[in-house]
Amino acid sequence: MKKGRKNCDEQLIEQISNTLEMLLEKGLLYTYNELKREYLDKNTIRLSWNNHLSGSFNSGDNFLKLEQYKQIINNQSYLCVLFDGSLIRVSYTIKNGCIVGHNLLWWPAPYKYSGVSLDDVPPKQMLLDFLEDDKWYENIEMRSPVRIDYDPRKEVVSSTHSPVHMHIEHMECRIFIEKPMCFNSFIKLIFNNFYPDCKIYLDPNDYISFEVDDNYEYVEGLTKIVC
């Protein structure tokens, strides 16, 4: 990838598309949707998942609630579904070639069935079967979603709220992350930590080091993307 000759959004689209294809070829993806690209104004682009529907399930208060996973699956409001039913959503906002916000979410499947895969039962039906199972507690997989946000607004950043941070286990948890993450960095973090037996290779030359605009002034509706 010749990054110097591509815009930031073009780099991301190429990186995400290539990595999704690699995961699909390795049998680590059940399905994925095309990345949605939209202009918010003449200088601002957002790359995100399709079928973004409004609703209370998107709020931060529902970060750990099963209803959020259920609505994302039912609405197909995701970038991809992994082989185990876990979900990934990503959204990047780019202004004048600089990243001004991102939202990266891994929502782990709440169930785990021995000997049953998504090749046998599709995700929506698997979830329905789990929710209707009288012995659901025997198959529950208790894992927290992981969400990594980049929000450089001056009114948000503080000593306890860094521009890039990870939410995990609790909606008010904010773990410091050094810098905005490209898609491959996020995928590497998820697979290294939560799927250590799934060996994937991501070429170091295909990572993206973002330019950021520290003086960016927030415009309502442009960078606040809630999972």
Side-chain angles (χ1 to χ4, degrees), residues 81-105:
V81 181
L82 298 183
F83 68 97
D84 64 343
S86 298
L87 309 173
I88 287 179
R89 303 211 298 191
V90 302
S91 184
Y92 289 91
T93 305
I94 303 155
K95 186 176 179 70
N96 296 323
C98 295
I99 291 289
V100 295
H102 75 44
N103 185 283
L104 313 173
L105 173 70

Side-chain angles (χ1 to χ4, degrees), residues 17-223:
S17 298
N18 289 343
T19 298
L20 290 175
E21 283 295 328
M22 178 273 290
L23 294 174
L24 188 64
E25 290 175 2
K26 287 184 169 292
L28 300 176
L29 274 192
Y30 170 75
T31 189
Y32 70 87
N33 294 321
E34 294 295 325
L35 198 64
K36 181 179 180 181
R37 175 178 176 172
E38 59 182 328
Y39 281 87
L40 302 180
D41 62 34
K42 66 179 181 180
N43 298 315
T44 309
I45 297 171
R46 183 159 64 200
L47 304 176
S48 188
W49 60 87
N50 284 294
N51 301 326
H52 183 73
L53 300 179
S54 61
S56 60
F57 71 92
N58 286 310
S59 70
D61 290 345
N62 284 300
F63 173 59
L64 297 168
K65 294 181 180 178
L66 190 56
E67 183 66 16
Q68 187 173 82
Y69 177 91
K70 177 182 175 182
Q71 292 292 342
I72 294 172
I73 278 285
N74 288 341
N75 297 333
Q76 298 184 24
S77 298
Y78 50 73
L79 177 66
C80 64
V81 181
L82 298 183
F83 68 97
D84 64 343
S86 298
L87 309 173
I88 287 179
R89 303 211 298 191
V90 302
S91 184
Y92 289 91
T93 305
I94 303 155
K95 186 176 179 70
N96 296 323
C98 295
I99 291 289
V100 295
H102 75 44
N103 185 283
L104 313 173
L105 173 70
W106 173 70
W107 225 118
Y111 53 75
K112 185 174 183 179
Y113 288 96
S114 177
V116 180
S117 73
L118 297 184
D119 292 331
D120 307 307
V121 183
K124 287 175 67 173
Q125 187 61 49
M126 186 82 83
L127 178 62
L128 182 62
D129 292 345
F130 169 70
L131 295 174
E132 294 181 347
D133 189 347
D134 291 339
K135 294 187 177 180
W136 58 269
Y137 49 84
E138 293 182 356
N139 300 297
I140 191 170
E141 184 84 340
M142 298 178 66
R143 299 182 292 176
S144 168
V146 173
R147 195 179 81 219
I148 300 178
D149 294 337
Y150 171 48
D151 189 344
R153 291 176 294 156
K154 293 178 180 179
E155 64 266 35
V156 170
V157 176
S158 67
S159 60
T160 58
H161 197 143
S162 60
V164 190
H165 52 269
M166 177 190 295
H167 296 272
I168 189 170
E169 293 290 349
H170 190 282
M171 65 181 230
E172 295 299 335
C173 170
R174 293 182 178 89
I175 299 172
F176 172 80
I177 302 290
E178 183 179 10
K179 58 186 179 180
M181 299 181 72
C182 70
F183 184 68
N184 280 8
S185 295
F186 179 63
I187 289 296
K188 180 179 179 182
L189 181 148
I190 295 301
F191 272 84
N192 282 358
N193 288 283
F194 304 110
Y195 302 99
D197 295 332
C198 298
K199 304 304 180 184
I200 63 173
Y201 174 74
L202 296 168
D203 190 334
N205 293 319
D206 287 335
Y207 283 70
I208 301 171
S209 180
F210 294 123
E211 292 184 26
V212 297
D213 183 357
D214 293 331
N215 297 315
Y216 173 74
E217 292 185 3
Y218 176 71
V219 177
E220 185 66 33
L222 295 189
T223 64

